[in-house]
Amino acid sequence: MEYRSPHVKMRDVSRIYDALEVGIIITTGGGIIIWGNRYYSQLAQFDIRDYFGHNVREISRREDVILPTMNYIIDIVLKTKQQQTEIVRYRTEDYVLTTATPIFNANNEIDYIIYSITNYSELMRLREKVSESGMRVLALENHLRNLQVETEIGKQIIITSKEMYNIYGKALRLASTSVSVMLTGESGTGKDVLAKFIHQSSSRKGQNFIHVNMAAIPKPLFESELFGYTPGSFTGAARQGKEGLVQLANGGTLFLDEIGELPLDIQAKLLQVIQNKEVRAIGAVSPTPVDFRIICATNRDLRQMVEDHTFRLDLYHRLNAVELNIPPLRERRDDILPLATFFLNHFNEQNHTNKYLTASVLHLFANYSWPGNVRELQHVIEGAVALCPNDAITLDQLPMEFHILGQKALLTSASHADGLTLKQAVEQLETQMIETALQSSSSAAEAAEKLGIDASTLSKKRKRYGL
């Protein structure tokens, strides 16, 4: 049976072109419109059939089509004999992408020009929608990750800043691996809390978390504390011997805090333990197999220590597979007040009190540099709760550096009162001083005495300022 190729009837061609969601206009080589599809009429919001037999240039003149140049696209095509594309604007306020393609005959003369028109503005709107959808997906991913972090950290870890969410998010991903992690940052930033979080989020959470503070171990005892010893192995040793901290971490996590304090000779032995996954106690004949996850922390520059030959390069690379740097509290100020509230609630519960931080104290906390970081904040709150005779914690219960900061704040407030008259600046300063005196005093009389005015004057000023 002879196969005959199917063919499209010419009367069906216009039906097919009308179904396309691309505007099409066909002109003669001289620019006379001989056909246009339905979609173009919808896009341009006029009936292209009204222009059949007319020159294509008339569309621009009669329909307020704004061209990018003074030249019509057809004139450029006729001159260059090449396909041309440009963006024009219709009176619908939409920009359309117009491509004019010449169709040549056997003599290389232009018989027809086909215009294909796409709504560029609609494409941009679709792209914006896709971009918005992508942004929503990204925001949702971030939100879900933050929720996961919040679920994992529980109520004992307070983080609000984006930086800390990112760090704990990375820690959560690392928890499912066995890679060694190096935690860096200033003293008091919470490296120990992050280390415990990694352990609690890992498959080893049911095993021991051994926190070894290298700075607290006397140098002569490093080896015996870390690796243990057998009975009678040296003078002064316990009669029954002692299991080392490395062995206690078997199956769990060994957290070596202040790793920069480890002496060079002990560094060599620790490297051997990590490489061989076995530890030999002092006096032992054979080693004991150990399996532990290692996390280290330091506030020292270990890279510089390696250059100074005070820390082994090979051990550094073993311990520092992944580094997480915790920024100081002064660089994540969003965490200050939530942490202050957490510690306040903790010490209130511990001491069966109901103390609260006054507005002036919260303001000072938010602007203090916290050189001791989270640990300093915790100790300041603990001391304030213990010292405060009333429920309101004021400047009087804070360390001296906060008194200095408070005085500077008052002076700064007075000296930077831009746009205020002298009278307004004085009133502002008076209001702040009266509020501070009232918050730190048990009575109005005591507050007046601190301010160096009599009680009746204070009463008038309170009434005047609505205090």
Side-chain angles (χ1 to χ4, degrees):
M1 182 177 178
E2 184 181 353
Y3 177 77
R4 298 182 64 182
S5 175
H7 64 278
V8 179
K9 297 177 182 178
M10 290 306 298
R11 65 175 178 268
D12 290 333
V13 171
S14 63
R15 271 197 318 126
I16 294 171
Y17 283 165
D18 274 338
L20 295 176
E21 290 195 0
V22 174
I24 295 176
I25 298 175
I26 301 176
T27 75
T28 64
I32 302 302
I33 298 173
I34 57 178
W35 191 82
N37 72 344
R38 185 180 296 120
Y39 183 79
Y40 178 81
S41 297
Q42 294 172 358
L43 183 153
Q45 293 191 5
F46 60 80
D47 196 336
I48 186 60
R49 291 175 297 182
D50 294 341
Y51 287 92
F52 286 2
H54 293 262
N55 194 290
V56 71
R57 298 173 180 84
E58 290 185 26
I59 293 178
S60 299
R61 292 195 291 263
R62 292 171 56 182
E63 300 295 342
D64 298 327
V65 177
I66 300 175
L67 305 176
T69 67
M70 296 296 293
N71 298 319
Y72 294 104
I73 191 172
I74 187 174
D75 294 327
I76 302 173
V77 171
L78 293 174
K79 182 179 180 180
T80 63
K81 291 190 174 184
Q82 292 180 349
Q83 183 186 81
Q84 299 293 324
T85 298
E86 62 184 26
I87 296 175
V88 301
R89 194 179 77 180
Y90 280 61
R91 63 183 177 186
T92 60
E93 299 299 320
D94 278 345
Y95 288 90
V96 299
L97 190 69
T98 302
T99 299
T101 304
I103 306 297
F104 298 93
N105 60 24
N107 298 322
N108 199 33
E109 297 170 341
I110 298 176
D111 273 348
Y112 303 100
I113 297 176
I114 298 178
Y115 289 77
S116 58
I117 301 98
T118 306
N119 193 327
Y120 187 74
S121 294
E122 185 62 28
L123 289 175
M124 291 301 98
R125 285 192 286 269
L126 288 172
R127 181 178 291 181
E128 286 176 6
K129 287 181 180 178
V130 170
S131 177
E132 288 174 5
S133 297
M135 290 170 65
R136 289 192 189 100
V137 169
L138 183 60
L140 182 59
E141 288 177 351
N142 288 336
H143 178 63
L144 291 175
R145 185 177 67 247
N146 289 346
L147 285 177
Q148 186 181 16
V149 171
E150 288 174 0
T151 300
E152 293 293 335
I153 64 178
K155 297 180 180 178
Q156 298 305 308
I157 301 176
I158 306 300
I159 55 175
T160 303
S161 64
K162 180 181 177 181
E163 296 90 339
M164 291 302 288
Y165 265 111
N166 288 338
I167 290 170
Y168 272 81
K170 290 177 183 177
L172 188 60
R173 291 192 291 274
L174 290 171
S176 60
T177 71
S178 58
V179 66
S180 57
V181 181
M182 178 69 71
L183 307 179
T184 60
E186 295 179 8
S187 179
T189 51
K191 297 186 288 293
D192 55 337
V193 177
L194 182 56
K196 187 166 286 188
F197 169 75
I198 294 173
H199 171 74
Q200 292 294 341
S201 303
S202 73
S203 58
R204 299 174 182 264
K205 63 183 177 181
Q207 304 298 321
N208 287 339
F209 175 81
I210 304 299
H211 182 172
V212 185
N213 188 346
M214 299 295 191
I217 301 176
K219 287 189 177 181
L221 300 181
F222 263 113
E223 187 173 9
S224 61
E225 288 293 315
L226 285 176
F227 310 119
Y229 55 85
T230 58
S233 54
F234 57 87
T235 303
R239 188 171 53 202
Q240 69 276 21
K242 182 181 178 181
E243 193 172 37
L245 295 170
V246 171
Q247 288 174 280
L248 288 176
N250 187 36
T253 300
L254 179 67
F255 175 44
L256 301 179
D257 202 356
E258 303 296 348
I259 187 66
E261 304 300 325
L262 193 64
L264 273 170
D265 57 331
I266 307 301
Q267 290 178 29
K269 189 163 185 178
L270 176 62
L271 178 63
Q272 189 176 22
V273 169
I274 295 171
Q275 288 176 336
N276 300 334
K277 295 186 177 180
E278 58 184 24
V279 59
R280 187 191 300 271
I282 298 173
V285 177
S286 58
T288 302
V290 285
D291 170 38
F292 56 85
R293 166 75 172 278
I294 190 164
I295 302 174
C296 297
T298 183
N299 59 7
R300 300 180 66 179
D301 187 348
L302 291 186
R303 294 181 183 86
Q304 186 60 50
M305 292 182 67
V306 169
E307 291 184 13
D308 295 340
H309 304 291
T310 56
F311 201 91
R312 293 178 63 106
L313 178 62
D314 46 7
L315 179 61
Y316 171 76
H317 287 299
R318 278 283 184 177
L319 300 178
N320 196 23
V322 177
E323 181 177 326
L324 295 178
N325 180 262
I326 304 179
L329 194 54
R330 63 182 172 275
E331 292 180 8
R332 46 186 175 103
R333 293 192 174 276
D334 289 346
D335 290 336
I336 294 174
L337 297 187
L339 281 167
T341 302
F342 171 76
F343 291 133
L344 180 67
N345 292 337
H346 171 74
F347 291 119
N348 268 332
E349 184 178 347
Q350 189 178 84
N351 295 286
H352 306 288
T353 54
N354 192 30
K355 307 294 174 67
Y356 66 90
L357 301 170
T358 57
S360 58
V361 168
L362 290 173
H363 178 74
L364 290 176
F365 278 6
N367 291 280
Y368 182 56
S369 62
W370 298 106
N373 294 294
V374 179
R375 187 179 296 123
E376 181 184 9
L377 175 58
Q378 179 181 358
H379 292 162
V380 167
I381 297 288
E382 184 178 18
V385 170
L387 291 172
C388 185
N390 306 308
D391 285 345
I393 296 175
T394 64
L395 186 61
D396 288 348
Q397 287 83 48
L398 302 183
M400 183 56 64
E401 49 265 34
F402 288 93
H403 289 257
I404 297 169
L405 182 63
Q407 291 170 2
K408 286 182 179 179
L410 287 175
L411 291 172
T412 302
S413 176
S415 61
H416 290 79
D418 293 336
L420 299 181
T421 64
L422 178 60
K423 180 181 178 182
Q424 289 171 330
V426 170
E427 288 176 349
Q428 187 181 82
L429 183 59
E430 271 193 341
T431 301
Q432 291 175 344
M433 292 183 68
I434 291 170
E435 281 182 338
T436 302
L438 288 170
Q439 289 170 355
S440 62
S441 305
S442 57
S443 66
E446 183 183 343
E449 186 177 348
K450 287 182 178 180
L451 292 167
I453 58 178
D454 56 51
S456 61
T457 302
L458 176 59
S459 178
K460 291 177 183 177
K461 288 184 179 291
R462 290 181 68 183
K463 185 175 181 181
R464 177 183 177 184
Y465 298 135
L467 302 175

